[in-house]
Amino acid sequence: MKPKALNSLIKLPNLIKLGSFAVLFIWFWLSLPQPIFNTPYSSLLFDRNNHLLAAQIAPDGQWRFPASDSIPYKYEQALIHFEDQYFYYHPGVNPFSIGRALVQNISENRIVSGGSTITQQLIRMSRDGKQRNLYQKLIEFVLSVRIELSYSKKEILNLYASHAPFGGNVVGLETASWRYYGRPSSKLSWGETTTLAVLPNSPSLIYPGRNHSILLAKRNRLLDKLAKNEIIDSLTCELAKAEQLPQKPKALPQLAPHLLTRAINDGQQGKSIQTSIDINIQQSCNRIIEQHYKRLRKNQIQNAAALIIDVKSGKVLSYVGNTPGQDINSGHQVDLISCNRSSGSILKPLLYSLMIKESQLLPHTLLADIPTQISGYAPKNFNKKHDGAVKASNALARSLNIPAVLMLQKYGVEKFRNKLRELGFTSINRSADNYGLSLILGGAEVSLWELGNVYSSLSRMLQFYTDESSEYSSDLYFPASYKSSFTYKVKNKSFNDMMGAAPVYHTFEALNEMDRPIDGVNWSLYKSSRKIAWKTGTSFGHRDAWSVGITPEYVVVVWVGNADGEGRPGLTGGATAAPILFDIFKSLPTSTWFDKPYDDMVKVAVCKKSGYKASFNCNEIDSLDVAIAGERTIACPYCKQINLDKTGHYRVNADCYRVSDMIQKSYMVLPPAMEWYYQRKNPLYQTRPPYLETCMSQNNENIDIIYPKNNTRLFIPKNFGGLLERSVFQAAHSIPGATIYWHIDNEYLGSTNNVHQKEVFASLGEHILTLIDDKGEVLTRRFEVVMSEK
């Protein structure tokens, strides 16, 4: 045989050995599963200071908190002294402990001692379900050594403590600490800690609440051992022995269950979620909601929700998604903060602010408040009354529907819809034609969450208005967050261009003037009162009641109703949601008020009577700080110079009176329909004098038709006899005591005096309504009668 061939044969066994060793090493290195535990965990919700707010059991039915990063010193010492005193010295397996246990078990002819280390117990727990035989024991030996090469001793202790069984469906130290003592493991005493240290040794036998004598003996032996090894002193040992053992497991806190569900839906299942919630504010808000629920449910109102946002940070301080209760039929499980509900009047402040920003309104401009019909849509005020003319700020504070609809008609439905989308109302996703003018009265749906986002951002923007640049920083407008820390990537857009500091300030000032439902009309006289901009809303059919309150520090949003949408009598924002709102504000620290944004304002001469920019005909003028856009608003259209005879008692004109003998006097002259209602609410309103007998009005300025409007379609139902119902037409005249003669299609219907209402029967088809007053002034309207389908 050649030398080279011989050498090859000699090397072959060595190569086989080397290869076998390599395979064995690879198997050894890859034998440790990753992760060690492939088990589901409970979902936990903590407040900003790590107080447990809520918990949800793991999908497998176990209360198993997510693995912690560390364990308390007390538990570490108790566990090591009870289970594995040489834990920090062995490589995962302790031959001396195994030998000692083997000798004891043989001598007693039964198993009286185990030689497993904490590491071995950890591996055994991770391989749950494997048979207990010699082969599996050898595998555990190997894995115990292997895990020591990849994990530190501290990490192994944390894994053990997080997955050890503590009786029943309680798994892990932190779970056991909360279930048996109602607090985190870091706050346990020595007696409580040692109790938990001995539980995993035999959890089914010494389950708390049963076999107390066994549990007590094991705990006390461990305390004695700790004292002997000078981990604790003798006094601490005796005091710890005197502590009571735990009874049945305690219920875990459920202070914010709906927020926990939201976090789980956001992808946080099986995690410990630290939030921005303040547990004290959350508990207070929970109590307030529960107290009001006791009152509301008497009227079969089952649900309410509240959200508190810290304005400056945008973080949520309290999240109460619903009233307490387990009745599925009452909808207590629904998170109403995330649900879209009819907005009612809660969007009116945004329209008011936008119109001021875009030079269409001054804060106190007079708006029409008269019976109105627009293309078949006839809005009604909640109180079914009319003021004729009302200040825009007052109309907002009182939430009058007719002025709001007329404002939206002027501003534009599509434009307003698009602005709401820009502000962050994602639920407003239908076309403007679909919403129509009802958009301002609850035709759209919004969520309590997005409503809080918008109003808190407006409050934040107003506070951080910069004097130097007269602009906001765009990153001040962002959605709120319930997370303890968050970063929101803002778009490259300044919302100063959309809203403006002064318009928002005027809006909040107007909303601060509302009478509070709890303290009454003189609430501002109370020492405990504070300035709050607040607004209520009620949806059609009394299904949704809203209330939002705004200060520089907090935004509070409240919703009340039934989750299934059932309406209830008396379910209004003022009666049900506002009392909750103010109870919440009373529980919060005292707040401040907004500084006036002078850099976004300008002095403008304003007519005191009409609220418009003053014209040369206005004789009562105020100089007010208004939004810069106010300079571009129209001059007062109502104040007019009226020609009077030299006595000042009669109106005249150049056709009947010498100009040189005339005197001029300024009057606020409202259109007849507005004037008719306005003068009944404002007795100091001064009407124009009548015309001199020899003079006639030069145009149709005294008479107006309130209903029907020109070129409208009247949908009239049939009565039980199959005939069309009669309609009530209404007119107004600026001269008290004037007589109006009514005609339809040249047929005389009769006359009215002072109160101009006429019951009219009109057949199907087109008609012409003609009114003639006793001075010969004529006014006509075209209308069409259509049979109603109802």
Side-chain angles (χ1 to χ4, degrees), residues 25 247 366 758:
F25 178 80
Q247 301 300 315
L366 279 183
K758 195 71 176 174

Side-chain angles (χ1 to χ4, degrees), residues 491-511:
K491 297 179 181 178
N492 245 340
K493 179 178 179 63
S494 172
F495 282 84
N496 185 39
D497 297 335
M498 186 194 307
M499 303 304 294
V504 173
Y505 178 80
H506 288 314
T507 302
F508 290 168
E509 281 284 299
L511 296 176

Side-chain angles (χ1 to χ4, degrees), residues 516-676:
R516 301 192 181 188
I518 300 173
D519 298 331
V521 293
N522 294 320
W523 64 266
S524 59
L525 301 179
Y526 286 78
K527 291 182 179 179
S528 61
S529 67
R530 67 180 83 183
K531 296 190 75 171
I532 300 172
W534 67 288
K535 181 74 183 72
T536 61
T538 305
S539 68
F540 178 77
H542 299 276
R543 294 182 175 90
D544 306 275
W546 296 90
S547 187
V548 58
I550 306 132
T551 69
E553 288 76 25
Y554 308 105
V555 162
V556 178
V557 192
V558 176
W559 178 91
V560 176
N562 286 311
D564 61 3
E566 179 188 357
R568 294 299 303 165
L571 179 60
T572 65
T576 61
I580 296 176
L581 177 85
F582 284 102
D583 277 352
I584 290 174
F585 266 110
K586 285 180 179 179
S587 72
L588 293 172
T590 302
S591 53
T592 60
W593 190 242
F594 302 97
D595 293 328
K596 208 171 187 178
Y598 288 104
D599 279 2
D600 199 39
M601 289 182 160
V602 64
K603 289 282 186 184
V604 172
V606 176
C607 176
K608 289 182 68 173
K609 292 181 178 179
S610 70
Y612 280 86
K613 188 171 66 175
S615 71
F616 61 86
N617 291 325
C618 299
N619 55 12
E620 295 184 48
I621 298 174
D622 274 338
S623 180
L624 300 179
D625 292 315
V626 300
I628 293 174
E631 290 185 309
R632 301 189 296 273
T633 57
I634 63 172
C636 176
Y638 297 135
C639 289
K640 298 178 181 179
Q641 291 289 342
I642 303 299
N643 294 322
L644 305 177
D645 70 348
K646 57 185 176 182
T647 69
H649 295 154
Y650 297 97
R651 275 187 286 170
V652 294
N653 55 55
D655 293 337
C656 64
Y657 202 81
R658 284 198 315 180
V659 174
S660 59
D661 290 336
M662 294 179 186
I663 61 175
Q664 283 79 40
K665 185 177 179 181
S666 179
Y667 285 86
M668 186 174 78
V669 182
L670 295 173
M674 292 172 62
E675 186 179 69
W676 190 84

Side-chain angles (χ1 to χ4, degrees), residues 348-358 361 396 407 458 498-507:
K348 288 178 181 176
L350 303 176
L351 177 61
Y352 177 83
S353 185
L354 286 166
M355 291 188 73
I356 291 177
K357 171 66 177 176
E358 298 181 25
L361 199 68
L396 175 62
M407 287 169 64
L458 293 180
M498 186 194 307
M499 303 304 294
V504 173
Y505 178 80
H506 288 314
T507 302

Side-chain angles (χ1 to χ4, degrees), residues 387-463:
D387 285 7
V390 61
K391 291 180 180 179
S393 56
N394 188 254
L396 175 62
R398 294 167 55 197
S399 198
L400 297 177
N401 291 337
I402 293 174
V405 169
L406 294 174
M407 287 169 64
L408 181 57
Q409 183 188 35
K410 179 180 179 181
Y411 187 78
V413 177
E414 183 172 5
K415 185 178 179 182
F416 185 54
R417 179 261 185 200
N418 293 340
K419 293 291 186 182
L420 292 175
R421 290 282 297 174
E422 286 186 60
L423 283 170
F425 289 106
T426 59
S427 58
I428 301 179
N429 51 21
R430 305 200 307 269
S431 68
D433 290 339
N434 188 284
Y435 289 117
L437 292 171
S438 69
L439 175 60
I440 199 64
L441 302 183
E445 291 186 336
V446 298
S447 70
L448 191 150
W449 179 260
E450 290 187 346
L451 200 66
N453 288 343
V454 171
Y455 281 112
S456 62
S457 290
L458 293 180
S459 175
R460 188 181 312 115
M461 290 166 60
L462 185 59
Q463 295 177 74

Side-chain angles (χ1 to χ4, degrees), residues 217 283 302 384 488 537 539 607:
Q283 288 175 323
Q302 301 293 340
K384 309 298 183 185
Y488 178 69
S539 68
C607 176

